[in-house]
Amino acid sequence: MASRPENLAPPEIFYNDAEARKYTSSSRIINIQSKLSERALELLALPDDDVPRLLLDIGCGSGLSGETLTENGHQWIGLDISPSMLDIAVEREVEGDLMLHDMGQGLPFRPGTIDGAISISAVQWLCNADKSSHEPRKRLKAFFGSLYRCLARGAKAAFQMYPENMNQRELILKAAMQAGFAGGVVVDYPHSTKSRKEFLVLTCGPPSVNTAVPKAKGEEGESCSEDESDDDDDEEHQTVSVFSVTFVTPRRQLYIF
């Protein structure tokens, strides 16, 4: 089994020029990113009113997931810690605004200005201490606390993630809840080794009818819910959800306030 990237090197080092170009040129990766970002956007449950929203793409890489946001008519800000990935995003002329930024230092946006947030395969990196100054709990606290502040109330966030174990999952969920989010984890195709995908879905604001965890997808594409299981101790039957907010500004602005 291949080693997990986050266990090999910090993201800004692992995704160097060669790896970033390899990643972006893979038809397999492009297809996976498209499907995951479409699902994350679906989990945001944005109003079907043809009004563009301002969304965050956290860990945007070379802009593959951001292209899904553009195709669905939304404006977006992408941030990533890898200069090589962002260089390719600029080369590819993606439509979003781009920012070189470490999400573990918190998000530099004004309160209540973002309509939603997605993230594909990035949040679990915060569980690693890549430098002597990195403490995962503090970095997760900074990230989720700043995300909560910059999202509009009632907004959602949907983060596809690959926690390495139950301890990482609990660490991430605890940080999100302590920041004030309501929600849970949605696991699509929970019984499939190949298709299983985990999404942290959070709502900005106190629990309500609108913060219920969305239905997961089952083996045949039908909806299924982890809550339907009688096995409350199974790690697949944990729940959380994410909501995020919007704010439209001119393109190519650095959004640092």
Side-chain angles (χ1 to χ4, degrees), residues 24-219:
T24 308
S25 62
S26 168
S27 58
R28 174 178 170 273
I29 292 295
I30 292 172
N31 183 52
I32 291 174
Q33 282 279 333
S34 176
K35 290 180 178 179
L36 291 176
S37 53
E38 283 283 2
R39 178 59 170 150
L41 184 58
E42 176 185 6
L43 290 170
L44 291 186
L46 296 169
D48 187 15
D49 55 9
D50 295 324
V51 176
R53 262 66 188 184
L54 181 65
L55 307 177
L56 293 183
D57 184 1
I58 300 167
C60 67
S62 56
L64 296 178
S65 50
E67 288 181 339
T68 297
L69 303 181
T70 298
E71 290 167 0
N72 281 271
H74 300 297
Q75 296 178 319
W76 56 278
I77 305 167
L79 54 103
D80 203 279
I81 197 172
S82 166
S84 296
M85 280 290 202
L86 292 177
D87 285 346
I88 293 179
V90 171
E91 181 182 305
R92 298 175 64 243
E93 298 183 341
V94 298
E95 292 296 320
D97 294 328
L98 303 172
M99 175 188 293
L100 179 63
H101 187 72
D102 174 7
M103 61 180 172
Q105 295 182 355
L107 305 178
F109 305 107
R110 290 175 178 170
T113 55
I114 304 298
D115 295 319
I118 70 167
S119 179
I120 307 300
S121 308
V123 174
Q124 74 274 0
W125 287 84
L126 290 176
C127 295
N128 287 25
D130 295 319
K131 300 177 181 178
S132 59
S133 60
H134 284 183
E135 205 292 302
R137 284 181 175 81
K138 291 182 179 180
R139 286 169 60 76
L140 284 163
K141 179 180 179 180
F143 171 64
F144 283 111
S146 60
L147 177 66
Y148 189 90
R149 289 189 293 274
C150 74
L151 289 177
R153 291 301 167 263
K156 299 183 180 182
F159 299 158
Q160 184 272 328
M161 61 181 188
Y162 293 108
E164 187 170 15
N165 49 47
M166 193 64 177
N167 289 336
Q168 282 195 0
R169 182 180 294 107
E170 290 178 350
L171 188 65
I172 292 169
L173 298 187
K174 183 177 180 180
M177 297 308 173
Q178 289 179 336
F181 284 107
V185 171
V186 174
V187 180
D188 288 347
Y189 310 104
H191 306 296
S192 171
T193 302
K194 182 178 180 180
S195 301
R196 187 183 193 275
K197 294 294 183 292
E198 188 167 324
F199 293 84
L200 176 63
V201 183
L202 306 172
T203 303
C204 187
S208 69
V209 173
N210 293 328
T211 64
V213 178
K215 294 289 185 180
K217 291 184 177 180
E219 296 296 340

